[in-house]
Amino acid sequence: MTETKKTPLLDELEKGPWPSFVKEIKKAAAHNISSQDLLGQLELSYEDKKAHWKHGGLVGVMGYGGGVIGRYSDVPEQFPNIEMFHTIRLNQPSGWYYNTKALRQVCDVWEKYGSGLTNLHGATGDMVLLGTKTEYIQTIFDEVSNFEEHPMDLGGSGSNLRTPSCCAGPARCEFAMIDTLDLCHDLTNEFQDYLHRPMWPYKSKIKISGCPNDCVASIARSDISIQGTWRDDIKINQEAVREYVAGGFDINGMVISKCPTKCIAWDGNELTIDNANCTRCMHCINKMTKALRPGDDRGATILIGGKAPILQGAMMGWVIVPFMKLESGSGYEELKEFLEKVWEWWDENGKTRERLGELILRLGMRNFLRAIELEPIPQMVMAPRANPFFFWWPEETVQD
């Protein structure tokens, strides 16, 4: 077993009131030699001010190209027990709900074949198991996928569809306007082949929020953001509004002045909303939950192009479909057809490591909309125009 080393720099991270990942690694290191070496290499990284991991690419299991992230130490002579320290992504259940037996099964496998360290949950949404060797990967996959109860599948990694994820939706939230749990489960099953076999220019992410509050930050973290919304009028309980004001609620300061399109007004007795100009931002509803409720005609807004910074910097998704009816049990055919068109265009035109939003910026929204057969509408505007020229398609112009 590797000799226990001093970690004065890491020890500093245990101070303070918050839980420390260093403390948890030390607990694992008490009975796991790879965790001991992980501590040593991490301390060295702080001393050298550089990471000591080599980019290892993908390490697959039989029939899969994704789900396992290869990781190798660049100082294996010092830390031989983490020469290989691969990460396994397990496809999480919708809304991240587990029972204790499911978690115990995973932990037993990981104690046996891995470092014992987990991350619940990774940025993509998966359950992340940190640190195992190549020779154990197939065994781990065989065991987790054949659990007697709650068998688990690998998540996405590499240039493919990353594991779709969603908020807790109707399981816990009164504002959920679509069944995020059902939709996420349905899309995951429908597109499993895209999830497990890298075939695209780069990764593509789907995240689903039940309402425009977007608690999973899908607009900033996914190429395709699906957010529950409504398209009829906000429901107003005028008596409840008056009770808010009578109780000292600053309706002008907290609601009226904060409306982004100034479509809401209060005359001292009644609240009125110009619903045609409402952007469904939810601010007024969040502030006056007893008086305002979303409408009953519910579905989802589809946004496109969000991603974290790599090539073009961080990008927020922008609206591409203002409203799509998404009802549980419907099969979601309209959404699936839309996704297939989007991915086909991206796959044919994208450069290596070019995300969907970057490709749209490079080739233009005009080409994108034609490819996916959508008519341009004002809601698709990502930002006010800076170019004074509008270029028509040749067949749309009339030559004298």
Side-chain angles (χ1 to χ4, degrees):
M1 182 175 292
T2 302
E3 182 184 354
T4 302
K5 295 178 173 59
K6 301 290 185 183
T7 56
L9 296 176
L10 293 182
D11 294 346
E12 291 295 312
L13 299 177
E14 294 184 84
K15 298 175 181 176
W18 305 105
S20 167
F21 71 98
V22 173
K23 187 173 295 183
E24 297 306 314
I25 297 177
K26 285 182 177 179
K27 288 181 185 175
H31 51 80
N32 185 289
I33 55 177
S34 63
S35 292
Q36 290 178 18
D37 276 8
L38 178 64
L39 278 174
Q41 180 169 305
L42 193 55
E43 180 74 14
L44 181 64
S45 294
Y46 275 75
E47 293 171 0
D48 295 346
K49 294 184 171 54
K50 60 172 287 189
H52 281 291
W53 296 112
K54 296 187 287 188
H55 192 283
L58 297 178
V59 188
V61 299
M62 193 71 71
Y64 282 52
V68 183
I69 305 166
R71 182 156 289 131
Y72 300 90
S73 170
D74 70 357
V75 283
E77 66 285 353
Q78 296 184 56
F79 305 105
N81 297 301
I82 55 170
E83 180 180 7
M84 291 172 279
F85 201 72
H86 307 318
T87 295
I88 292 181
R89 287 177 170 165
L90 295 183
N91 190 332
Q92 82 286 1
S94 290
W96 301 287
Y97 287 100
Y98 304 89
N99 65 25
T100 53
K101 182 169 184 179
L103 290 173
R104 286 194 190 97
Q105 289 179 137
V106 173
C107 290
D108 287 345
V109 168
W110 201 235
E111 290 280 354
K112 196 186 319 181
Y113 301 111
S115 69
L117 297 170
T118 64
N119 178 5
L120 300 182
H121 291 83
T124 296
D126 310 88
M127 176 189 285
V128 176
L129 309 180
L130 297 161
T132 191
K133 298 179 179 179
T134 304
E135 59 260 37
Y136 296 140
I137 289 174
Q138 187 66 48
T139 303
I140 293 168
F141 172 67
D142 291 342
E143 292 202 13
V144 300
S145 60
N146 287 288
F147 283 150
E148 185 177 343
E149 293 183 43
H150 315 296
M152 305 186 80
D153 198 0
L154 293 185
S157 64
S159 296
N160 57 2
L161 176 63
R162 296 300 177 84
T163 315
S165 66
C166 66
C167 69
R172 282 192 299 181
C173 180
E174 61 182 314
F175 287 134
M177 280 162 252
I178 54 175
D179 189 339
T180 56
L181 307 172
D182 180 72
L183 177 59
C184 186
H185 185 67
D186 191 294
L187 294 181
T188 302
N189 288 328
E190 178 76 18
F191 297 117
Q192 275 202 336
D193 195 43
Y194 299 167
L195 192 68
H196 293 144
R197 295 170 184 85
M199 61 180 78
W200 288 337
Y202 201 17
K203 57 190 170 185
S204 183
K205 296 184 177 183
I206 296 174
K207 295 192 187 299
I208 306 166
S209 288
C211 78
N213 284 324
D214 195 15
C215 292
V216 293
S218 65
I219 190 173
R221 300 170 59 229
S222 61
D223 304 87
I224 298 160
S225 163
I226 302 169
Q227 296 183 13
T229 190
W230 70 99
R231 63 180 169 183
D232 52 349
D233 294 348
I234 293 175
K235 295 189 286 190
I236 306 174
N237 181 334
Q238 297 290 356
E239 187 57 38
V241 175
R242 287 189 277 271
E243 288 179 8
Y244 267 101
V245 176
F249 180 71
D250 180 9
I251 192 168
N252 287 308
M254 298 295 289
V255 175
I256 309 299
S257 64
K258 296 291 195 302
C259 177
T261 58
K262 309 302 179 191
C263 71
I264 188 167
W266 166 248
D267 65 3
N269 184 55
E270 285 202 347
L271 191 76
T272 55
I273 299 175
D274 176 10
N275 284 278
N277 286 307
C278 171
T279 60
R280 278 69 174 163
C281 75
M282 293 277 292
H283 176 78
C284 59
I285 296 174
N286 291 335
K287 291 296 181 184
M288 306 174 72
T289 54
K290 294 179 180 177
L292 302 177
R293 306 296 292 178
D296 294 324
D297 188 7
R298 300 179 176 188
T301 295
I302 316 297
L303 300 96
I304 208 155
K307 68 176 202 63
I310 292 183
L311 296 183
Q312 294 281 351
M315 294 167 59
M316 300 278 275
W318 63 95
V319 172
I320 197 71
V321 179
F323 187 88
M324 182 182 290
K325 203 74 176 174
L326 292 177
E327 294 180 324
S328 179
S330 69
Y332 308 116
E333 293 307 318
E334 184 181 1
L335 175 62
K336 292 172 184 174
E337 186 178 332
F338 167 81
L339 293 173
E340 292 280 15
K341 288 179 183 176
V342 169
W343 286 329
E344 183 179 356
W345 180 78
W346 172 55
D347 192 26
E348 288 186 358
N349 296 281
K351 297 178 181 178
T352 301
R353 296 179 70 82
E354 184 177 46
R355 298 286 286 272
L356 175 59
E358 294 166 337
L359 176 62
I360 295 173
L361 290 181
R362 180 167 64 85
L363 296 187
M365 178 66 91
R366 183 175 65 167
N367 288 297
F368 174 65
L369 292 180
R370 170 170 282 193
I372 64 170
E373 301 174 317
L374 281 183
E375 291 293 324
I377 55 175
Q379 288 90 338
M380 294 174 179
V381 174
M382 183 176 66
R385 288 173 61 190
N387 188 326
F389 300 101
F390 182 86
F391 296 97
W392 300 90
W393 289 103
E395 63 270 25
E396 294 174 339
T397 62
V398 178
Q399 303 291 335
D400 293 330

